[in-house]
Amino acid sequence: MSFTSRLRAIPVDRFLLMLIATVGIAAILPARGEVAEAFDWITYGAIALLFFLYGARLSPQAVWAGLLHWRLQGLVFLSTFALFPLVGLLVAPLADRVIPGELALGLLYLTLLPSTVQSSIAFTSIAGGNVPAALTSASVSNMLGVIVTPVLVLLLASGSGDGAFSFDAIEKIALQILAPFVAGQIVRPLIGGWLARHKPVTVVVDRGSILLVVYAAFSEGVVAGVWSSLDWQDLAIVVLFDIAILAVSLSVTTLAARKLGFNREDEIAIVFCGSKKSMATGIPMAGILFAGHAMALVVLPLMLFHQIQLFACAALAQRYARQTKAVPTPSVTEAAAEERDSVDKAAATTNP
């Protein structure tokens, strides 16, 4: 096996490497002064464009059709916006005793986010689950998350740590996220089909906006000297808390699906949609909800959780695939390709 082939076989998604590189650039060349102000405006526009495209891509017809399976959708909703927040409320006070307050706040914040879309659909498809139900659950979760997540942050995280959510963020959410999302829904009949045929456009905006927010946030942290108070023990503790949160969600969703009599395909959709948290939504939204240098630390637990859930769900999908005598699941890197294919197929079925 060549060296290039060995590199490709490493089970780490490329976007994680891009995030690490972005953090490294911010550490060496942080944005300062007028450059930082320019990045703030660029980031603002990128986030607005991101949620505009979210609105333009989401098919209301597919969402309403999927909602007819109300028991499955209800269980995923309760897992995402009830079970996770309860776990976060238990974890955050414990974490606050052993790690900096912003990291503890970040652990709580990640439990308040909606589910992922792409990876939920991809792993459900790989495992042989109910893909249409996964598409609907993930889409509804993200649509509701635009409103539900800020409300949960207001109720549960206001006053927690430095730079916590304030009432002023409601107006920013409305202008920067909700308004572009609604605008995207309005123009969807005009551009939805074009976006479905030009997937790279949405991928560039999706990934690019996250990288911009991460660079701006970590630059502010470097300039403010935030990282001088953080050591490797803190990172290790955050990873352990992330693993514990994911383990609880996977266990509870699996047990609940079986106890409530769902078939195997529905169970797979429930487990993969109800146990995930969206970094694509969480990081841009954190840039609005949390002000100042705190945001750099607040998003760190989410960034680590993202990679942990990829590894865990890849292994779980492989187990489901073996049990159903499906094709064995590829590595996380190969799963990313499957993710793109499954999303493209889903988009093709939901666009007129």
Side-chain angles (χ1 to χ4, degrees):
M1 181 182 291
S2 66
F3 178 72
T4 303
S5 300
R6 291 178 185 274
L7 284 178
R8 291 177 179 174
I10 298 175
V12 177
D13 66 323
R14 286 172 291 180
F15 187 54
L16 175 67
L17 299 179
M18 294 171 68
L19 282 171
I20 295 173
T22 301
V23 172
I25 294 172
I28 299 172
L29 298 171
R32 302 173 185 268
E34 294 182 356
V35 175
E37 293 180 6
F39 262 98
D40 287 341
W41 283 105
I42 294 171
T43 302
Y44 185 97
I47 294 173
L49 178 60
L50 172 66
F51 281 91
F52 172 81
L53 294 180
Y54 279 170
R57 287 160 49 191
L58 181 59
S59 169
Q61 295 84 355
V63 171
W64 286 116
L67 287 176
L68 295 177
H69 199 344
W70 63 270
R71 290 178 68 243
L72 184 151
Q73 307 301 338
L75 185 54
V76 172
F77 178 86
L78 289 175
S79 174
T80 303
F81 295 116
L83 170 63
F84 260 106
L86 287 175
V87 173
L89 288 174
L90 294 175
V91 165
L94 296 176
D96 196 38
R97 299 179 180 179
V98 292
I99 56 177
E102 292 89 349
L103 290 177
L105 177 60
L107 287 169
L108 174 60
Y109 173 64
L110 80 84
T111 65
L112 309 180
L113 292 170
S115 179
T116 63
V117 177
Q118 290 92 339
S119 60
S120 293
I121 299 169
F123 285 123
T124 299
S125 175
I126 290 169
N130 188 338
V131 174
L135 170 64
T136 302
S137 293
S139 299
V140 170
S141 178
N142 273 259
M143 182 172 61
L144 294 178
V146 174
I147 299 174
V148 175
T149 293
V151 171
L152 288 175
V153 173
L154 174 63
L155 294 175
L156 304 180
S158 58
S160 300
D162 296 330
F165 180 56
S166 66
F167 285 96
D168 293 339
I170 295 177
E171 181 180 357
K172 294 181 179 179
I173 286 289
L175 292 176
Q176 192 175 0
I177 292 181
L178 188 57
F181 183 87
V182 173
Q185 283 280 283
I186 293 173
V187 302
R188 184 183 181 278
L190 301 176
I191 66 173
W194 186 87
L195 289 174
R197 294 189 300 271
H198 297 82
K199 178 69 175 176
V201 173
T202 58
V203 172
V204 169
V205 175
D206 190 0
R207 302 293 175 88
S209 62
I210 294 175
L211 294 175
L212 282 172
V213 174
V214 168
Y215 175 76
F218 278 79
S219 290
E220 291 178 1
V222 171
V223 173
V226 171
W227 305 109
S228 60
S229 62
L230 192 67
D231 53 34
W232 69 267
Q233 291 95 333
D234 294 326
L235 293 178
I237 293 172
V238 170
V239 169
L240 291 177
F241 275 117
D242 277 346
I243 292 173
I245 292 171
L246 181 61
V248 170
S249 66
L250 287 172
S251 300
V252 172
T253 51
T254 302
L255 181 61
R258 293 176 181 177
K259 290 293 184 181
L260 293 175
F262 287 95
N263 62 36
R264 188 170 192 80
E265 290 75 17
D266 287 347
E267 175 191 323
I268 291 171
I270 290 168
V271 169
F272 287 119
C273 293
S275 63
K276 291 225 179 47
K277 290 296 176 180
S278 175
M279 185 172 67
T281 300
I283 290 183
M285 193 174 290
I288 303 172
L289 296 175
F290 301 97
H293 68 264
M295 189 261 187
L297 293 182
V298 168
V299 300
L300 188 57
L302 175 60
M303 293 171 61
L304 296 172
F305 186 86
H306 171 76
Q307 186 62 30
I308 292 169
Q309 72 183 4
L310 277 180
F311 279 114
C313 289
L316 185 59
Q318 182 179 23
R319 180 181 177 185
Y320 273 120
R322 284 198 303 264
Q323 291 174 347
T324 56
K325 297 182 180 180
V327 179
T329 301
S331 67
V332 174
T333 304
E334 293 170 322
E338 175 70 21
E339 173 180 322
R340 291 191 295 270
D341 293 340
S342 62
V343 173
D344 288 342
K345 292 177 183 177
T349 60
T350 57
N351 279 283

